[in-house]
PDB file of all heavy atoms in Angstrom:
ATOM      1  N   ARG R 106     113.937  86.523 107.065  1.00  0.00           N
ATOM      2  CA  ARG R 106     114.331  85.696 108.210  1.00  0.00           C
ATOM      3  C   ARG R 106     114.002  84.226 108.000  1.00  0.00           C
ATOM      4  O   ARG R 106     114.462  83.367 108.761  1.00  0.00           O
ATOM      5  CB  ARG R 106     113.656  86.204 109.486  1.00  0.00           C
ATOM      6  CG  ARG R 106     114.133  87.578 109.924  1.00  0.00           C
ATOM      7  CD  ARG R 106     113.314  88.111 111.088  1.00  0.00           C
ATOM      8  NE  ARG R 106     111.957  88.479 110.695  1.00  0.00           N
ATOM      9  CZ  ARG R 106     111.054  88.993 111.519  1.00  0.00           C
ATOM     10  NH1 ARG R 106     111.359  89.175 112.804  1.00  0.00           N
ATOM     11  NH2 ARG R 106     109.849  89.321 111.079  1.00  0.00           N
ATOM     12  N   VAL R 107     113.185  83.922 106.984  1.00  0.00           N
ATOM     13  CA  VAL R 107     112.772  82.538 106.715  1.00  0.00           C
ATOM     14  C   VAL R 107     112.833  82.277 105.217  1.00  0.00           C
ATOM     15  O   VAL R 107     112.777  83.208 104.407  1.00  0.00           O
ATOM     16  CB  VAL R 107     111.333  82.263 107.209  1.00  0.00           C
ATOM     17  CG1 VAL R 107     111.242  82.388 108.723  1.00  0.00           C
ATOM     18  CG2 VAL R 107     110.332  83.205 106.527  1.00  0.00           C
ATOM     19  N   ILE R 108     112.934  80.986 104.849  1.00  0.00           N
ATOM     20  CA  ILE R 108     112.787  80.659 103.439  1.00  0.00           C
ATOM     21  C   ILE R 108     111.320  80.827 103.045  1.00  0.00           C
ATOM     22  O   ILE R 108     110.420  80.766 103.878  1.00  0.00           O
ATOM     23  CB  ILE R 108     113.283  79.241 103.110  1.00  0.00           C
ATOM     24  CG1 ILE R 108     112.439  78.166 103.814  1.00  0.00           C
ATOM     25  CG2 ILE R 108     114.751  79.075 103.445  1.00  0.00           C
ATOM     26  CD1 ILE R 108     112.763  76.757 103.344  1.00  0.00           C
ATOM     27  N   VAL R 141     104.025  67.563 116.138  1.00  0.00           N
ATOM     28  CA  VAL R 141     105.173  68.458 116.223  1.00  0.00           C
ATOM     29  C   VAL R 141     105.697  68.716 114.822  1.00  0.00           C
ATOM     30  O   VAL R 141     105.724  67.827 113.977  1.00  0.00           O
ATOM     31  CB  VAL R 141     106.289  67.881 117.126  1.00  0.00           C
ATOM     32  CG1 VAL R 141     106.835  66.564 116.590  1.00  0.00           C
ATOM     33  CG2 VAL R 141     107.406  68.901 117.322  1.00  0.00           C
ATOM     34  N   ASP R 142     106.071  69.962 114.582  1.00  0.00           N
ATOM     35  CA  ASP R 142     106.681  70.371 113.321  1.00  0.00           C
ATOM     36  C   ASP R 142     108.141  70.718 113.609  1.00  0.00           C
ATOM     37  O   ASP R 142     108.431  71.713 114.271  1.00  0.00           O
ATOM     38  CB  ASP R 142     105.930  71.580 112.754  1.00  0.00           C
ATOM     39  CG  ASP R 142     106.549  72.133 111.481  1.00  0.00           C
ATOM     40  OD1 ASP R 142     107.293  71.392 110.818  1.00  0.00           O
ATOM     41  OD2 ASP R 142     106.292  73.308 111.158  1.00  0.00           O
ATOM     42  N   ILE R 143     109.051  69.876 113.130  1.00  0.00           N
ATOM     43  CA  ILE R 143     110.482  70.069 113.351  1.00  0.00           C
ATOM     44  C   ILE R 143     111.055  70.870 112.182  1.00  0.00           C
ATOM     45  O   ILE R 143     110.813  70.555 111.027  1.00  0.00           O
ATOM     46  CB  ILE R 143     111.202  68.702 113.467  1.00  0.00           C
ATOM     47  CG1 ILE R 143     110.637  67.897 114.645  1.00  0.00           C
ATOM     48  CG2 ILE R 143     112.707  68.895 113.613  1.00  0.00           C
ATOM     49  CD1 ILE R 143     110.898  68.505 116.008  1.00  0.00           C
ATOM     50  N   CYS R 144     111.838  71.905 112.490  1.00  0.00           N
ATOM     51  CA  CYS R 144     112.358  72.847 111.489  1.00  0.00           C
ATOM     52  C   CYS R 144     111.192  73.643 110.903  1.00  0.00           C
ATOM     53  O   CYS R 144     110.969  73.675 109.692  1.00  0.00           O
ATOM     54  CB  CYS R 144     113.155  72.156 110.407  1.00  0.00           C
ATOM     55  SG  CYS R 144     114.559  71.188 110.999  1.00  0.00           S
ATOM     56  N   THR R 145     110.463  74.316 111.767  1.00  0.00           N
ATOM     57  CA  THR R 145     109.195  74.931 111.381  1.00  0.00           C
ATOM     58  C   THR R 145     109.349  76.156 110.501  1.00  0.00           C
ATOM     59  O   THR R 145     108.451  76.501 109.741  1.00  0.00           O
ATOM     60  CB  THR R 145     108.364  75.267 112.635  1.00  0.00           C
ATOM     61  OG1 THR R 145     107.025  75.570 112.251  1.00  0.00           O
ATOM     62  CG2 THR R 145     108.961  76.437 113.409  1.00  0.00           C
ATOM     63  N   GLY R 146     110.478  76.869 110.579  1.00  0.00           N
ATOM     64  CA  GLY R 146     110.655  78.061 109.753  1.00  0.00           C
ATOM     65  C   GLY R 146     109.574  79.091 110.007  1.00  0.00           C
ATOM     66  O   GLY R 146     109.384  79.570 111.127  1.00  0.00           O
ATOM     67  N   SER R 147     108.816  79.423 108.977  1.00  0.00           N
ATOM     68  CA  SER R 147     107.748  80.416 109.087  1.00  0.00           C
ATOM     69  C   SER R 147     106.546  79.920 109.861  1.00  0.00           C
ATOM     70  O   SER R 147     105.595  80.683 110.084  1.00  0.00           O
ATOM     71  CB  SER R 147     107.297  80.835 107.684  1.00  0.00           C
ATOM     72  OG  SER R 147     106.789  79.718 106.978  1.00  0.00           O
ATOM     73  N   GLY R 148     106.550  78.647 110.265  1.00  0.00           N
ATOM     74  CA  GLY R 148     105.432  78.103 111.026  1.00  0.00           C
ATOM     75  C   GLY R 148     104.269  77.645 110.184  1.00  0.00           C
ATOM     76  O   GLY R 148     103.226  77.242 110.718  1.00  0.00           O
ATOM     77  N   ASP R 164     103.376  71.373 118.733  1.00  0.00           N
ATOM     78  CA  ASP R 164     104.647  72.027 119.019  1.00  0.00           C
ATOM     79  C   ASP R 164     105.353  72.324 117.704  1.00  0.00           C
ATOM     80  O   ASP R 164     105.211  71.580 116.719  1.00  0.00           O
ATOM     81  CB  ASP R 164     105.538  71.128 119.893  1.00  0.00           C
ATOM     82  CG  ASP R 164     105.056  71.056 121.334  1.00  0.00           C
ATOM     83  OD1 ASP R 164     104.488  72.055 121.829  1.00  0.00           O
ATOM     84  OD2 ASP R 164     105.233  69.997 121.972  1.00  0.00           O
ATOM     85  N   ALA R 165     106.114  73.407 117.674  1.00  0.00           N
ATOM     86  CA  ALA R 165     106.866  73.785 116.476  1.00  0.00           C
ATOM     87  C   ALA R 165     108.252  74.229 116.918  1.00  0.00           C
ATOM     88  O   ALA R 165     108.382  75.071 117.808  1.00  0.00           O
ATOM     89  CB  ALA R 165     106.156  74.910 115.732  1.00  0.00           C
ATOM     90  N   VAL R 166     109.275  73.650 116.297  1.00  0.00           N
ATOM     91  CA  VAL R 166     110.656  73.851 116.741  1.00  0.00           C
ATOM     92  C   VAL R 166     111.501  74.393 115.597  1.00  0.00           C
ATOM     93  O   VAL R 166     111.387  73.933 114.451  1.00  0.00           O
ATOM     94  CB  VAL R 166     111.276  72.524 117.228  1.00  0.00           C
ATOM     95  CG1 VAL R 166     112.697  72.757 117.736  1.00  0.00           C
ATOM     96  CG2 VAL R 166     110.418  71.883 118.305  1.00  0.00           C
ATOM     97  N   ASP R 167     112.351  75.346 115.919  1.00  0.00           N
ATOM     98  CA  ASP R 167     113.358  75.804 114.957  1.00  0.00           C
ATOM     99  C   ASP R 167     114.582  76.278 115.711  1.00  0.00           C
ATOM    100  O   ASP R 167     114.474  76.793 116.838  1.00  0.00           O
ATOM    101  CB  ASP R 167     112.824  76.929 114.079  1.00  0.00           C
ATOM    102  CG  ASP R 167     113.549  76.995 112.738  1.00  0.00           C
ATOM    103  OD1 ASP R 167     114.677  77.548 112.701  1.00  0.00           O
ATOM    104  OD2 ASP R 167     113.017  76.484 111.743  1.00  0.00           O
ATOM    105  N   LEU R 168     115.742  76.111 115.090  1.00  0.00           N
ATOM    106  CA  LEU R 168     116.989  76.578 115.693  1.00  0.00           C
ATOM    107  C   LEU R 168     117.125  78.084 115.632  1.00  0.00           C
ATOM    108  O   LEU R 168     117.785  78.699 116.462  1.00  0.00           O
ATOM    109  CB  LEU R 168     118.177  75.911 114.983  1.00  0.00           C
ATOM    110  CG  LEU R 168     119.573  76.116 115.567  1.00  0.00           C
ATOM    111  CD1 LEU R 168     119.639  75.617 117.013  1.00  0.00           C
ATOM    112  CD2 LEU R 168     120.610  75.400 114.709  1.00  0.00           C
ATOM    113  N   SER R 169     116.472  78.699 114.659  1.00  0.00           N
ATOM    114  CA  SER R 169     116.601  80.136 114.428  1.00  0.00           C
ATOM    115  C   SER R 169     115.583  80.934 115.224  1.00  0.00           C
ATOM    116  O   SER R 169     114.375  80.804 115.035  1.00  0.00           O
ATOM    117  CB  SER R 169     116.416  80.434 112.940  1.00  0.00           C
ATOM    118  OG  SER R 169     116.269  81.824 112.706  1.00  0.00           O
ATOM    119  N   ALA R 170     116.081  81.806 116.096  1.00  0.00           N
ATOM    120  CA  ALA R 170     115.183  82.697 116.842  1.00  0.00           C
ATOM    121  C   ALA R 170     114.477  83.661 115.893  1.00  0.00           C
ATOM    122  O   ALA R 170     113.312  84.019 116.101  1.00  0.00           O
ATOM    123  CB  ALA R 170     115.974  83.464 117.898  1.00  0.00           C
ATOM    124  N   ASP R 171     115.170  84.092 114.845  1.00  0.00           N
ATOM    125  CA  ASP R 171     114.550  84.994 113.872  1.00  0.00           C
ATOM    126  C   ASP R 171     113.379  84.316 113.168  1.00  0.00           C
ATOM    127  O   ASP R 171     112.320  84.926 112.974  1.00  0.00           O
ATOM    128  CB  ASP R 171     115.584  85.432 112.834  1.00  0.00           C
ATOM    129  CG  ASP R 171     116.570  86.447 113.379  1.00  0.00           C
ATOM    130  OD1 ASP R 171     116.267  87.086 114.410  1.00  0.00           O
ATOM    131  OD2 ASP R 171     117.648  86.611 112.774  1.00  0.00           O
ATOM    132  N   ALA R 172     113.572  83.061 112.772  1.00  0.00           N
ATOM    133  CA  ALA R 172     112.485  82.338 112.111  1.00  0.00           C
ATOM    134  C   ALA R 172     111.276  82.222 113.023  1.00  0.00           C
ATOM    135  O   ALA R 172     110.126  82.365 112.586  1.00  0.00           O
ATOM    136  CB  ALA R 172     112.961  80.955 111.673  1.00  0.00           C
ATOM    137  N   LEU R 173     111.515  81.983 114.290  1.00  0.00           N
ATOM    138  CA  LEU R 173     110.399  81.827 115.226  1.00  0.00           C
ATOM    139  C   LEU R 173     109.629  83.130 115.417  1.00  0.00           C
ATOM    140  O   LEU R 173     108.435  83.100 115.716  1.00  0.00           O
ATOM    141  CB  LEU R 173     110.908  81.300 116.564  1.00  0.00           C
ATOM    142  CG  LEU R 173     111.383  79.842 116.540  1.00  0.00           C
ATOM    143  CD1 LEU R 173     112.009  79.465 117.881  1.00  0.00           C
ATOM    144  CD2 LEU R 173     110.236  78.891 116.194  1.00  0.00           C
ATOM    145  N   GLU R 174     110.287  84.262 115.235  1.00  0.00           N
ATOM    146  CA  GLU R 174     109.563  85.529 115.284  1.00  0.00           C
ATOM    147  C   GLU R 174     108.577  85.628 114.124  1.00  0.00           C
ATOM    148  O   GLU R 174     107.463  86.142 114.277  1.00  0.00           O
ATOM    149  CB  GLU R 174     110.549  86.701 115.243  1.00  0.00           C
ATOM    150  CG  GLU R 174     111.349  86.879 116.529  1.00  0.00           C
ATOM    151  CD  GLU R 174     110.452  87.143 117.735  1.00  0.00           C
ATOM    152  OE1 GLU R 174     109.535  87.980 117.615  1.00  0.00           O
ATOM    153  OE2 GLU R 174     110.661  86.504 118.785  1.00  0.00           O
ATOM    154  N   ALA R 176     107.300  82.927 112.618  1.00  0.00           N
ATOM    155  CA  ALA R 176     106.287  81.918 112.943  1.00  0.00           C
ATOM    156  C   ALA R 176     105.258  82.476 113.924  1.00  0.00           C
ATOM    157  O   ALA R 176     104.053  82.193 113.804  1.00  0.00           O
ATOM    158  CB  ALA R 176     106.948  80.674 113.518  1.00  0.00           C
ATOM    159  N   SER R 190     102.537  75.849 120.086  1.00  0.00           N
ATOM    160  CA  SER R 190     103.592  76.352 120.969  1.00  0.00           C
ATOM    161  C   SER R 190     104.911  76.328 120.210  1.00  0.00           C
ATOM    162  O   SER R 190     105.263  75.317 119.590  1.00  0.00           O
ATOM    163  CB  SER R 190     103.714  75.483 122.226  1.00  0.00           C
ATOM    164  OG  SER R 190     102.506  75.469 122.954  1.00  0.00           O
ATOM    165  N   LEU R 191     105.645  77.431 120.251  1.00  0.00           N
ATOM    166  CA  LEU R 191     106.909  77.565 119.533  1.00  0.00           C
ATOM    167  C   LEU R 191     108.077  77.329 120.477  1.00  0.00           C
ATOM    168  O   LEU R 191     108.078  77.795 121.616  1.00  0.00           O
ATOM    169  CB  LEU R 191     107.013  78.957 118.912  1.00  0.00           C
ATOM    170  CG  LEU R 191     105.874  79.354 117.959  1.00  0.00           C
ATOM    171  CD1 LEU R 191     106.033  80.802 117.513  1.00  0.00           C
ATOM    172  CD2 LEU R 191     105.830  78.422 116.750  1.00  0.00           C
ATOM    173  N   HIS R 192     109.083  76.611 119.971  1.00  0.00           N
ATOM    174  CA  HIS R 192     110.246  76.257 120.787  1.00  0.00           C
ATOM    175  C   HIS R 192     111.523  76.505 119.991  1.00  0.00           C
ATOM    176  O   HIS R 192     111.623  76.075 118.829  1.00  0.00           O
ATOM    177  CB  HIS R 192     110.210  74.776 121.184  1.00  0.00           C
ATOM    178  CG  HIS R 192     108.947  74.352 121.860  1.00  0.00           C
ATOM    179  ND1 HIS R 192     108.787  74.384 123.224  1.00  0.00           N
ATOM    180  CD2 HIS R 192     107.771  73.887 121.349  1.00  0.00           C
ATOM    181  CE1 HIS R 192     107.573  73.939 123.533  1.00  0.00           C
ATOM    182  NE2 HIS R 192     106.935  73.643 122.419  1.00  0.00           N
ATOM    183  N   GLN R 193     112.490  77.167 120.606  1.00  0.00           N
ATOM    184  CA  GLN R 193     113.780  77.334 119.951  1.00  0.00           C
ATOM    185  C   GLN R 193     114.723  76.219 120.384  1.00  0.00           C
ATOM    186  O   GLN R 193     114.868  75.937 121.581  1.00  0.00           O
ATOM    187  CB  GLN R 193     114.411  78.685 120.306  1.00  0.00           C
ATOM    188  CG  GLN R 193     115.706  78.920 119.547  1.00  0.00           C
ATOM    189  CD  GLN R 193     116.392  80.224 119.923  1.00  0.00           C
ATOM    190  OE1 GLN R 193     115.895  80.959 120.790  1.00  0.00           O
ATOM    191  NE2 GLN R 193     117.522  80.515 119.297  1.00  0.00           N
ATOM    192  N   GLY R 194     115.360  75.582 119.406  1.00  0.00           N
ATOM    193  CA  GLY R 194     116.304  74.536 119.737  1.00  0.00           C
ATOM    194  C   GLY R 194     116.656  73.696 118.540  1.00  0.00           C
ATOM    195  O   GLY R 194     116.141  73.894 117.434  1.00  0.00           O
ATOM    196  N   ASP R 195     117.537  72.736 118.765  1.00  0.00           N
ATOM    197  CA  ASP R 195     118.076  71.886 117.717  1.00  0.00           C
ATOM    198  C   ASP R 195     117.237  70.607 117.608  1.00  0.00           C
ATOM    199  O   ASP R 195     117.308  69.719 118.476  1.00  0.00           O
ATOM    200  CB  ASP R 195     119.529  71.551 118.052  1.00  0.00           C
ATOM    201  CG  ASP R 195     120.234  70.782 116.961  1.00  0.00           C
ATOM    202  OD1 ASP R 195     119.697  70.730 115.843  1.00  0.00           O
ATOM    203  OD2 ASP R 195     121.314  70.231 117.230  1.00  0.00           O
ATOM    204  N   LEU R 196     116.424  70.532 116.561  1.00  0.00           N
ATOM    205  CA  LEU R 196     115.560  69.379 116.310  1.00  0.00           C
ATOM    206  C   LEU R 196     114.716  69.042 117.548  1.00  0.00           C
ATOM    207  O   LEU R 196     113.925  69.862 117.989  1.00  0.00           O
ATOM    208  CB  LEU R 196     116.387  68.185 115.834  1.00  0.00           C
ATOM    209  CG  LEU R 196     117.238  68.418 114.567  1.00  0.00           C
ATOM    210  CD1 LEU R 196     117.972  67.138 114.157  1.00  0.00           C
ATOM    211  CD2 LEU R 196     116.416  68.946 113.409  1.00  0.00           C
ATOM    212  N   PHE R 197     114.882  67.847 118.129  1.00  0.00           N
ATOM    213  CA  PHE R 197     114.029  67.419 119.237  1.00  0.00           C
ATOM    214  C   PHE R 197     114.508  67.910 120.604  1.00  0.00           C
ATOM    215  O   PHE R 197     113.864  67.626 121.618  1.00  0.00           O
ATOM    216  CB  PHE R 197     113.952  65.891 119.267  1.00  0.00           C
ATOM    217  CG  PHE R 197     113.291  65.282 118.067  1.00  0.00           C
ATOM    218  CD1 PHE R 197     114.043  64.746 117.032  1.00  0.00           C
ATOM    219  CD2 PHE R 197     111.902  65.231 117.952  1.00  0.00           C
ATOM    220  CE1 PHE R 197     113.442  64.165 115.929  1.00  0.00           C
ATOM    221  CE2 PHE R 197     111.289  64.658 116.843  1.00  0.00           C
ATOM    222  CZ  PHE R 197     112.064  64.117 115.829  1.00  0.00           C
ATOM    223  N   PRO R 199     114.422  70.579 122.474  1.00  0.00           N
ATOM    224  CA  PRO R 199     113.546  71.254 123.450  1.00  0.00           C
ATOM    225  C   PRO R 199     112.350  70.412 123.897  1.00  0.00           C
ATOM    226  O   PRO R 199     111.518  70.912 124.668  1.00  0.00           O
ATOM    227  CB  PRO R 199     113.053  72.491 122.684  1.00  0.00           C
ATOM    228  CG  PRO R 199     113.827  72.558 121.432  1.00  0.00           C
ATOM    229  CD  PRO R 199     114.270  71.171 121.134  1.00  0.00           C
ATOM    230  N   ASN R 211     110.225  69.236 107.579  1.00  0.00           N
ATOM    231  CA  ASN R 211     110.781  69.644 106.291  1.00  0.00           C
ATOM    232  C   ASN R 211     112.134  70.291 106.579  1.00  0.00           C
ATOM    233  O   ASN R 211     112.276  71.505 106.545  1.00  0.00           O
ATOM    234  CB  ASN R 211     109.833  70.616 105.596  1.00  0.00           C
ATOM    235  CG  ASN R 211     110.339  71.037 104.228  1.00  0.00           C
ATOM    236  OD1 ASN R 211     111.221  70.407 103.651  1.00  0.00           O
ATOM    237  ND2 ASN R 211     109.788  72.124 103.715  1.00  0.00           N
ATOM    238  N   PRO R 212     113.146  69.473 106.900  1.00  0.00           N
ATOM    239  CA  PRO R 212     114.433  70.017 107.324  1.00  0.00           C
ATOM    240  C   PRO R 212     115.259  70.527 106.148  1.00  0.00           C
ATOM    241  O   PRO R 212     114.937  70.235 104.984  1.00  0.00           O
ATOM    242  CB  PRO R 212     115.111  68.796 107.959  1.00  0.00           C
ATOM    243  CG  PRO R 212     114.587  67.645 107.165  1.00  0.00           C
ATOM    244  CD  PRO R 212     113.151  67.998 106.864  1.00  0.00           C
ATOM    245  N   PRO R 213     116.332  71.259 106.415  1.00  0.00           N
ATOM    246  CA  PRO R 213     117.273  71.588 105.334  1.00  0.00           C
ATOM    247  C   PRO R 213     117.799  70.310 104.691  1.00  0.00           C
ATOM    248  O   PRO R 213     118.201  69.385 105.400  1.00  0.00           O
ATOM    249  CB  PRO R 213     118.396  72.338 106.068  1.00  0.00           C
ATOM    250  CG  PRO R 213     117.746  72.870 107.319  1.00  0.00           C
ATOM    251  CD  PRO R 213     116.735  71.835 107.706  1.00  0.00           C
ATOM    252  N   MET R 233     121.167  78.695 106.417  1.00  0.00           N
ATOM    253  CA  MET R 233     120.962  77.622 107.379  1.00  0.00           C
ATOM    254  C   MET R 233     119.716  76.803 107.064  1.00  0.00           C
ATOM    255  O   MET R 233     119.641  75.608 107.364  1.00  0.00           O
ATOM    256  CB  MET R 233     120.849  78.208 108.795  1.00  0.00           C
ATOM    257  CG  MET R 233     120.696  77.162 109.885  1.00  0.00           C
ATOM    258  SD  MET R 233     120.682  77.903 111.537  1.00  0.00           S
ATOM    259  CE  MET R 233     119.102  78.726 111.535  1.00  0.00           C
ATOM    260  N   ALA R 234     118.743  77.435 106.434  1.00  0.00           N
ATOM    261  CA  ALA R 234     117.488  76.744 106.128  1.00  0.00           C
ATOM    262  C   ALA R 234     117.601  75.820 104.921  1.00  0.00           C
ATOM    263  O   ALA R 234     116.678  75.047 104.653  1.00  0.00           O
ATOM    264  CB  ALA R 234     116.382  77.772 105.896  1.00  0.00           C
TER     265      ALA R 234
END
Side-chain angles (χ1 to χ4, degrees):
R106 293 173 289 181
V107 296
I108 64 171
V141 62
D142 176 21
I143 300 294
C144 303
T145 193
S147 61
D164 287 328
V166 182
D167 205 280
L168 188 59
S169 168
D171 286 341
L173 290 174
E174 288 300 314
S190 300
L191 303 175
H192 306 269
Q193 184 183 1
D195 186 14
L196 303 182
F197 295 100
N211 182 17
M233 183 176 71

